[in-house]
Amino acid sequence: MGMSQHRRLWAPLALVGVAGLALAGCTGDIEAGGDDVDCADYEDYGTFEDATVTIGGTILDLEADRLVESWSDFASCTGIEINYQGSSEFEAQIAVLAEGGNAPDIGIVPQPGLLARLAAGGWIVPASQPVIDNIDEGWDPIWKEYATIDGTTYAAPLMASIKGYIWYSPAQFEDNGWEVPTTLDEMMELSETIASDSGHQPWCVGLESGEATGWPGTDWIEDFVLRQAGADFYDQWVTHEVPFNSPEVVTAFDSVGEYLKSDEMVNGGFGDVSTQISTPFQEAGLPILDDECSLHHQASFYETFWNPDGGDDITVAPDGDVFAFLMPPVDADDPQAVTGGGEFPVAFREAEEVEAVRTYLASALWANNRVSLGGVISANKGLDPANASSPLLEQSIEILQSPDTEFRFDGSDLMPGAVGSAAFWRGIVEWIGGQSTQTVVDEVEASWPTS
Amino acid sequence: MTTADLIGKILQVVLGLVVFAAILGIIVLLMGRAPRRGRTAWQLLWFLLPALLLLAVGLVWPAIRTTLLAFQDNSGNFSWNNFAWMFTQPAAIRTLINTVIWVLLVPTFSTALGLAYAVFIDKSRGEKIYKALVFMPMAISFVGAGIIWRFVYEYRSAGREQIGLLNALSVAFGGDPVQWLQTDPINTVLLIVVMIWIQTGFAMVVLSAAIKGIPTEQIEAAQLDGTNAWQRFMNVTVPGIRGSLVVVLTTISIATLKVFDIVRTMTGGNFNTSVVANEMYVQAFRASEVGRGSALAVILFVLVLPIVIYNVNVLRKQREIR
């Protein structure tokens, strides 16, 4: 009797023990790396004991690994343990987490509109003075405004990307004697030349992106609004000081429509106009390589999509297989106007170690560390363009750092979520599907939150 | 995750179990000491208390809060704007209309198909295999089903190889490939097909069991009266399984009202295919319009309510008959 009772007790306990050992095999206990780190650069940030900072964001996979690597020296020198967790649902969940008090210490927010909402909820901590000093030192003042709400600055920018690039094949251009356009009119002429001479539609466009379908189309509209109506109008447009359905916006829509809604202009290699909605944006530019189209409008990050299976079969360079020029201004003499994106690390917990991490992330030191690892750029003026991993990224950094460049953040990211990440995207889908410009802009205007 | 984290988590689980056992122990102890008079009432109360508490925290309070949020704008002031938006914006109205179409089509077709199938395979050889074939989709998640069917509807422009079954057939018979999921209004119907495909198995299994519950005497008596198969079906089988039919219809209706995964995986609510549950998520979480999302949730609740009440009523009447 006593024996069997013992067995009854021990069997589950043994099971728990075995399961625990098996699970322990799944944990990622990694030995601390070599300690040949030069800590001189990190002395100013101080040293901490038992300090842990958690960071959440949308950055995933390889990019996330590089992000973690970019602060590994900082972490080992200051003694702050930094845990990063990426999630594709971060943007949808962060407000819920924040309201429930479960947000990470730092959230890397890719949309100023979302940052404004988090600030309105009273969940995020204003940036400390060292962070603000770093912003003033490293960035064009416009960047500070994106993270400033009612006079309070909440975060420094992190990385950047440039939108409005037009990808093309330098070899194809040379063979046909085509030239990179310097004005919007020339871009139209070039497109018409390609359409009549080459026998293929000049542009390839893909707007499909799962539930975010339509966003590449908003980039087109924003590029045209910024160039045709000017930066001041653009600022008023994204903050709703002028209605979304202003005549200037209608003009921009109609100008884009001359490309995207014309069967002669799109959709090279894919079919008629309607195929834009079902073509994934990741694949859309690839027909350029098969001479099925010649131009593709997409941000600097499209560089990684040319070799979808990895490797470097396709070279991205001024004399390589593909390269990109910026969408030209209305007049060749106009300043170069650029739309782009970026992230802002906002803090949900007020603590010295959190601000130390944020100060580091806002420094030129971090920008150089991260850009050297490849694939991304920053708008920090202290960044050495030579650290960029490709000619295109180098060129992008120079554009961002040039005092003549009029940089504006991606408009749909600046607008409230209801407009920028819902109605505007959906409006583009309807518009390509045949809906009139006026109906679409009126509908987007009506979606603007009343408060 | 490090080993230390893991041990910490295991300890948390163990602690949770201990606390749970302790609370139960206290409840049982208190029950034992309850006054002798009205002891059953006390015992009832103590056993119900944990469930009532959890219901209040997990269901009643969120329902109240959602309703309150539905009447607030983003800064927390009272407003009717969320409901005004819902019934005036073309996109939002379309969402409501789509949901109505879903609720009309899915339960009717699933139940009718399931019933017909159940009747035809009843007592046939290999019944179990036939049942398994139709019941199988029930085992696939809505997201999985959505992905499978998206391949069926896949579109490639004319002249290219069609990898989607439907367009491959269309081209094989000399037609042009169609952008099935982008073409309004056929796309909503094609999404509904997926839901019917999943739910037919459920209807079939429940109704088949009900059919087997009809006393053979009744069928034989009807046969002796000289009825044909259709008359027997309409006058004996259907009345005999009425209770199950109501349960099946209402269960599928409720599942259909809150359909979300299929729409989200297949079209993301684009091309005029959005439904209330999908729009609720989009508004509340992606668009940060919690008020609008809550208003949609309230409407969903209002739509489900009559179905639940009807269901409860029918079940109560049946109990009275017995």
Side-chain angles (χ1 to χ4, degrees):
Chain A
M1 218 26 212
M3 187 64 195
S4 69
Q5 259 179 0
H6 267 287
R7 250 189 226 147
R8 255 183 232 161
L9 189 65
W10 279 113
L13 273 183
L15 199 70
V16 168
V18 170
L21 281 177
L23 282 172
C26 306
T27 59
D29 291 349
I30 306 162
E31 292 290 310
D35 41 8
D36 52 340
V37 179
D38 178 15
C39 284
D41 289 341
Y42 303 100
E43 270 170 6
D44 293 347
Y45 299 103
T47 47
F48 296 81
E49 271 182 39
D50 290 332
T52 307
V53 173
T54 55
I55 302 183
T58 48
I59 300 159
L60 297 170
D61 304 326
L62 177 65
E63 297 289 304
D65 293 343
R66 286 173 172 167
L67 192 64
V68 170
E69 203 185 326
S70 75
W71 59 57
S72 64
D73 286 356
F74 169 83
S76 63
C77 287
T78 56
I80 302 174
E81 190 185 328
I82 304 177
N83 293 323
Y84 176 75
Q85 185 132 41
S87 157
S88 56
E89 289 289 305
F90 174 80
E91 288 148 295
Q93 300 300 337
I94 188 64
V96 181
L97 289 175
E99 196 171 7
N102 293 319
D105 297 337
I106 294 176
I108 301 178
V109 176
Q111 298 163 347
L114 183 57
L115 188 148
R117 170 160 157 65
L118 295 171
W123 299 310
I124 54 177
V125 182
S128 59
Q129 197 55 45
V131 175
I132 292 175
D133 291 344
N134 273 356
I135 306 173
D136 293 336
E137 192 186 322
W139 274 274
D140 188 277
I142 188 84
W143 282 92
K144 192 177 175 182
E145 279 176 35
Y146 294 135
T148 303
I149 289 128
D150 296 335
T152 311
T153 304
Y154 284 93
L158 195 67
M159 290 172 275
S161 63
I162 289 195
K163 303 206 170 195
Y165 266 123
I166 293 166
W167 295 85
Y168 69 106
S169 155
Q172 201 190 53
F173 266 49
E174 197 170 324
D175 291 348
N176 293 287
W178 298 331
E179 297 222 344
V180 168
T182 56
T183 66
L184 281 183
D185 286 340
E186 279 181 34
M187 187 165 94
M188 194 57 181
E189 281 167 32
L190 172 69
S191 306
E192 280 162 355
T193 312
I194 297 175
S196 58
D197 292 1
S198 67
H200 61 234
Q201 292 136 326
W203 292 85
C204 22
V205 183
L207 305 179
E208 199 273 338
S209 177
E211 56 147 357
T213 297
W215 72 259
T218 66
D219 285 1
W220 273 86
I221 304 292
E222 288 152 14
D223 274 332
F224 271 79
V225 171
L226 180 61
R227 283 163 181 73
Q228 292 178 333
D232 289 340
F233 177 84
Y234 187 90
D235 292 338
Q236 294 173 328
W237 179 55
V238 296
T239 51
H240 209 214
E241 282 163 43
V242 295
F244 191 95
N245 50 2
S246 298
E248 290 89 339
V249 182
V250 174
T251 310
F253 262 86
D254 288 338
S255 307
V256 174
E258 286 176 31
Y259 295 100
L260 298 195
K261 293 182 96 165
S262 154
D263 277 321
E264 279 82 51
M265 293 294 169
V266 292
N267 192 6
F270 294 104
D272 59 10
V273 165
S274 70
T275 59
Q276 294 173 89
I277 310 173
S278 54
T279 305
F281 81 94
Q282 296 95 331
E283 301 170 11
L286 303 181
I288 290 184
L289 303 172
D290 305 324
D291 279 346
E292 287 177 348
C293 63
S294 306
L295 300 161
H296 177 61
H297 175 262
Q298 192 52 274
S300 54
F301 63 70
Y302 200 74
E303 190 178 351
T304 52
F305 292 113
W306 290 107
N307 294 298
D309 306 319
D312 47 7
D313 296 341
I314 308 298
T315 52
V316 179
D319 53 354
D321 298 301
V322 284
F323 201 58
F325 59 85
L326 267 182
M327 182 181 279
V330 177
D331 283 316
D333 304 333
D334 286 351
Q336 185 65 271
V338 186
T339 53
E343 303 94 0
F344 297 88
V346 295
F348 293 93
R349 180 163 69 97
E350 203 167 356
E352 268 183 52
E353 60 265 29
V354 175
E355 287 310 307
V357 172
R358 291 217 293 166
T359 312
Y360 170 58
L361 291 178
S363 67
L365 175 63
W366 180 84
N368 280 302
N369 281 350
R370 173 64 193 90
V371 170
S372 308
L373 296 169
V376 295
I377 54 170
S378 165
N380 195 309
K381 287 180 210 152
L383 174 63
D384 181 1
N387 280 336
S389 55
S390 76
L392 184 87
L393 293 183
E394 203 178 318
Q395 177 189 317
S396 302
I397 295 173
E398 280 160 4
I399 292 171
L400 282 175
Q401 289 180 344
S402 159
D404 301 331
T405 303
E406 275 209 90
F407 178 86
R408 286 296 181 275
F409 210 89
D410 180 280
S412 54
D413 287 343
L414 289 171
M415 296 172 188
V419 186
S421 335
F424 198 178
W425 293 348
R426 202 169 278 180
I428 292 287
V429 171
E430 282 178 26
W431 184 64
I432 297 293
Q435 191 69 266
S436 78
T437 298
Q438 197 61 50
T439 314
V440 168
V441 291
D442 289 348
E443 266 181 38
V444 178
E445 168 63 23
S447 76
W448 207 288
T450 41
S451 57
Chain B
M1 191 162 68
T2 61
T3 313
D5 290 342
L6 186 73
I7 292 170
K9 287 204 170 117
I10 291 175
L11 280 178
Q12 275 179 12
V13 172
V14 171
L15 191 72
L17 290 174
V18 169
V19 169
F20 179 72
I23 291 174
L24 273 189
I26 291 171
I27 289 175
V28 171
L29 194 77
L30 284 171
M31 257 171 8
R33 301 207 165 173
R36 202 151 289 204
R37 214 150 50 95
R39 184 163 238 179
T40 12
W42 278 104
Q43 282 177 343
L44 215 60
L45 182 72
W46 277 112
F47 272 120
L48 280 177
L49 199 63
L52 285 177
L53 268 178
L54 289 177
L55 269 180
V57 173
L59 192 77
V60 179
W61 172 236
I64 294 172
R65 191 160 175 271
T66 306
T67 316
L68 290 178
L69 282 173
F71 291 99
Q72 285 174 13
D73 60 17
N74 266 348
S75 26
N77 303 318
F78 176 86
S79 94
W80 288 97
N81 282 344
N82 299 317
F83 290 94
W85 165 82
M86 194 159 53
F87 293 109
T88 53
Q89 271 302 294
I93 293 174
R94 187 58 205 255
T95 304
L96 295 173
I97 294 173
N98 280 344
T99 305
V100 172
I101 297 174
W102 275 80
V103 177
L104 288 179
L105 292 185
V106 176
T108 342
F109 275 88
S110 305
T111 313
L113 287 173
L115 178 59
Y117 194 82
V119 170
F120 283 129
I121 63 162
D122 194 39
K123 296 192 188 102
S124 69
R125 271 178 53 198
E127 184 183 341
K128 278 179 191 158
I129 296 166
Y130 294 139
K131 267 190 185 168
L133 282 177
V134 174
F135 190 70
M136 213 108 71
M138 268 303 275
I140 301 174
S141 71
F142 281 18
V143 173
I147 292 170
I148 294 170
W149 280 83
R150 206 171 56 187
F151 278 117
V152 174
Y153 302 144
E154 183 77 40
Y155 166 86
R156 288 281 184 277
S157 56
R160 298 182 149 215
E161 190 193 2
Q162 296 297 328
I163 66 159
L165 179 69
L166 208 53
N167 272 325
L169 286 174
S170 162
V171 171
F173 287 103
D176 284 328
V178 182
Q179 301 207 350
W180 296 109
L181 289 177
Q182 271 101 298
T183 316
D184 179 38
I186 184 106
N187 50 11
T188 296
V189 177
L190 291 173
L191 295 189
I192 288 173
V193 167
V194 181
M195 184 83 167
I196 295 175
W197 179 72
I198 297 174
Q199 294 292 353
T200 300
F202 165 73
M204 182 268 299
V205 167
V206 175
L207 295 177
S208 173
I211 288 170
K212 296 198 188 304
I214 299 172
T216 23
E217 294 86 0
Q218 288 183 9
I219 310 260
E220 278 165 10
Q223 253 168 340
L224 286 176
D225 285 343
T227 53
N228 61 26
W230 176 250
Q231 285 169 326
R232 276 202 300 283
F233 174 72
M234 287 309 289
N235 297 318
V236 181
T237 311
V238 171
I241 60 168
R242 219 182 130 218
S244 303
L245 268 178
V246 171
V247 170
V248 166
L249 271 172
T250 47
T251 313
I252 298 181
S253 301
I254 293 172
T256 310
L257 270 172
K258 52 183 195 182
V259 66
F260 164 74
D261 329 41
I262 293 178
V263 175
R264 196 168 164 79
T265 37
M266 293 185 73
T267 63
N270 279 312
F271 324 118
N272 286 332
T273 57
S274 196
V275 289
V276 171
N278 181 62
E279 200 61 24
M280 185 174 89
Y281 180 86
V282 169
Q283 291 298 334
F285 297 114
R286 208 178 63 201
S288 306
E289 289 290 321
V290 179
R292 289 178 187 174
S294 303
L296 286 163
V298 169
I299 286 294
L300 202 59
F301 180 71
V302 171
L303 288 174
V304 170
L305 214 53
I307 303 178
V308 174
I309 292 174
Y310 175 70
N311 202 342
V312 170
N313 266 342
V314 168
L315 288 181
R316 187 181 292 153
K317 268 186 204 142
Q318 277 191 331
R319 203 171 297 150
E320 279 164 12
I321 295 167
R322 273 178 216 152

